[in-house]
Amino acid sequence: MHEEQQRPEHGPLAGFTVGVTAARRAEELGALLQRRGATVLHAPALRIVPLADDSELLAATKEIIHQVPDIVVATTAIGFRGWVEVADGWGLGEDLLARLGGVRIMARGPKVKGAVRAAGLTEDWSPSSESMAEVLDRLLEEGVDGLRIAIQLHGEPLPGFVESLRAAGAEVVGVPVYRWMPPEDIGPVDRLLDATVSRGVDALTFTSAPAAASFISRAEERGLLPEVLAALGHDVLPACVGPVTALPLQGHGIDTVQPERFRLGPLVQLLCQELPGRARSLPIAGHRVEIRGHAVLVDDDLKPVPPAGMALLRALSRRPGWVVARAELLRALPGAGRDEHAVETAMARLRTALGAPKLIQTVVKRGYRLALDPAADTKYADA
């Protein structure tokens, strides 16, 4: 049997904790992450207003029926389908489809085109790129002065889209499908903010710009914004599904990672590459040790480690092979107080969790050190 087949099975995200801020499709994203070994903290930063209860959508639908637009821009398949279905529930479905049947419909991409056709309508044009920028270019090239344009919105901001059309002389009507509101229970968001500040998460995922903006806004309300931005700028990886989603974070100077394809699957695959790549890997006492968020890989064997143990291990790994004093390790412990005995207790638990006691050496009257392999001493001396 090959060595690879003998190794324990664990996913690429095993030992990492990932925060999910999504409201819509959160279960799907969480399941994708968990399937690859991640621990998931779910804190919806927003909630979606149910369509049937949305008075703004009802008003916009009636306006379109009574004042028919020249052009309708359909932006998302789920949003367009939902709009038609809820209009039907309000008894306005036939009137809406009759009006839409007589106007030019621009569909942003193949999925939206499918939703338009499923409603018995025909799109006038659709870009293969699925880009709203291409839709905007097409409209401006054709000229929109004096035209009435309805845009099916989907909770996402469309930077510059509406402004550009209005500047070119169009009257723009927004159809607010799936509007975002603050969550009814802010507790999970606060817990995720606290975990971000304490480095209890390794990455945060954002799948909509409103969720990113809401997360930042709540941090500001609690006076935590500087600490949250510091965490996202260094220790906690912010991963966004696309460039529009990243805008609220970029506005605060935070660099994000984004997949080439703006989908949940590629977002998860990106984390599978990025997080293990950021983990510290060291040759210690004849073992290969990789330090992850809340676990350690010892020769590809995953060892869960309590938070106090991880804090000690990180402090030791900043200067691998060098002695770290008990007083310094005590400062690294979360809420340990002033008793250096807490370091000994946490160290004993850490050694037990790692299952290889010789990884960490006790240096009498001085402190502890990682038993870095001699060949690695020079390489890691100034790490």
Side-chain angles (χ1 to χ4, degrees), residues 18 51 71 80 180 190 203 228 241 260 289 320 325 331 350 365 383:
V18 180
L51 291 180
I71 298 171
F80 191 82
W180 306 112
D190 283 346
V228 168
V241 79
E260 288 183 12
V289 176
R331 286 194 296 273
L350 171 59
K365 295 185 180 178

Side-chain angles (χ1 to χ4, degrees), residues 258-281:
Q258 303 159 26
E260 288 183 12
R261 291 178 59 245
F262 310 145
R263 298 281 186 272
L264 295 188
L267 177 65
V268 173
Q269 287 305 318
L270 181 64
L271 287 173
C272 290
Q273 296 162 15
E274 291 281 340
L275 286 180
R278 290 159 63 101
R280 192 81 193 267
S281 187

Side-chain angles (χ1 to χ4, degrees), residues 3-346:
E3 184 186 350
E4 285 78 13
Q5 293 173 309
Q6 293 174 336
R7 288 175 179 168
E9 286 294 320
H10 57 77
L13 296 179
F16 294 111
T17 303
V18 180
V20 171
T21 60
R24 192 171 68 85
R25 299 180 71 190
E27 286 184 14
E28 180 184 349
L29 177 55
L32 287 171
L33 291 165
Q34 287 170 337
R35 210 172 296 148
R36 286 156 181 81
T39 297
V40 174
L41 285 185
H42 181 219
L46 297 165
R47 63 187 166 92
I48 299 168
V49 178
L51 291 180
D53 300 342
D54 197 333
S55 57
E56 282 191 32
L57 178 59
L58 176 58
T61 304
K62 286 179 176 177
E63 186 182 347
I64 283 170
I65 290 169
H66 293 123
Q67 263 190 294
V68 184
D70 300 290
I71 298 171
V72 170
V73 180
T75 60
T76 62
I78 188 172
F80 191 82
R81 278 197 305 269
W83 182 26
V84 171
E85 285 168 10
V86 77
D88 206 36
W90 288 329
L92 300 173
E94 287 185 18
D95 287 344
L96 178 63
L97 291 176
R99 300 298 185 276
L100 294 180
V103 305
R104 290 184 62 202
I105 298 177
M106 290 189 166
R108 182 198 62 87
K111 285 186 180 177
V112 192
K113 186 163 65 174
V116 168
R117 292 185 179 181
L121 302 167
T122 306
E123 79 289 346
D124 179 73
W125 177 80
S126 176
S128 55
S129 66
E130 300 188 51
S131 163
M132 286 300 287
E134 195 174 338
V135 175
L136 179 61
D137 288 344
R138 173 83 172 219
L139 286 167
L140 295 177
E141 277 173 25
E142 293 178 355
V144 296
D145 190 21
L147 296 183
R148 182 176 163 82
I149 301 174
I151 302 175
Q152 171 244 314
L153 304 170
H154 187 60
E156 299 280 357
L158 301 171
F161 193 93
V162 172
E163 294 84 348
S164 298
L165 291 176
R166 285 181 176 149
E171 180 191 352
V172 181
V173 179
V175 181
V177 179
Y178 294 111
R179 279 189 306 121
W180 306 112
M181 297 283 282
E184 287 176 336
D185 179 8
I186 202 69
V189 175
D190 283 346
R191 287 192 287 277
L192 186 55
L193 283 167
D194 292 339
T196 301
V197 170
S198 68
R199 279 57 170 179
V201 289
D202 302 289
L204 289 179
T205 59
F206 297 96
T207 56
S208 77
S214 177
F215 189 78
I216 292 292
S217 173
R218 182 59 182 167
E220 208 161 11
E221 284 172 22
R222 291 187 58 203
L224 290 176
L225 187 58
E227 293 96 319
V228 168
L229 294 179
L232 292 175
H234 191 255
D235 301 306
V236 179
L237 178 68
C240 296
V241 79
V244 172
T245 297
L247 287 173
L249 295 168
Q250 287 174 346
H252 286 276
I254 296 298
D255 292 326
T256 65
V257 296
Q258 303 159 26
E260 288 183 12
R261 291 178 59 245
F262 310 145
R263 298 281 186 272
L264 295 188
L267 177 65
V268 173
Q269 287 305 318
L270 181 64
L271 287 173
C272 290
Q273 296 162 15
E274 291 281 340
L275 286 180
R278 290 159 63 101
R280 192 81 193 267
S281 187
L282 296 167
I284 304 172
H287 299 278
R288 193 80 201 161
V289 176
E290 184 178 305
I291 302 166
R292 296 192 165 192
H294 59 262
V296 178
L297 283 179
V298 180
D299 299 328
D300 274 337
D301 193 5
L302 191 72
K303 306 284 189 179
V305 175
M310 289 305 304
L312 292 181
L313 195 53
R314 285 200 186 92
L316 292 169
S317 71
R318 286 188 198 107
R319 287 178 289 164
W322 291 63
V323 178
V324 182
R326 281 181 176 80
E328 187 176 335
L329 292 172
L330 181 63
R331 286 194 296 273
L333 281 179
R338 298 179 181 178
D339 185 359
E340 288 189 5
H341 181 65
V343 174
E344 294 170 23
T345 304

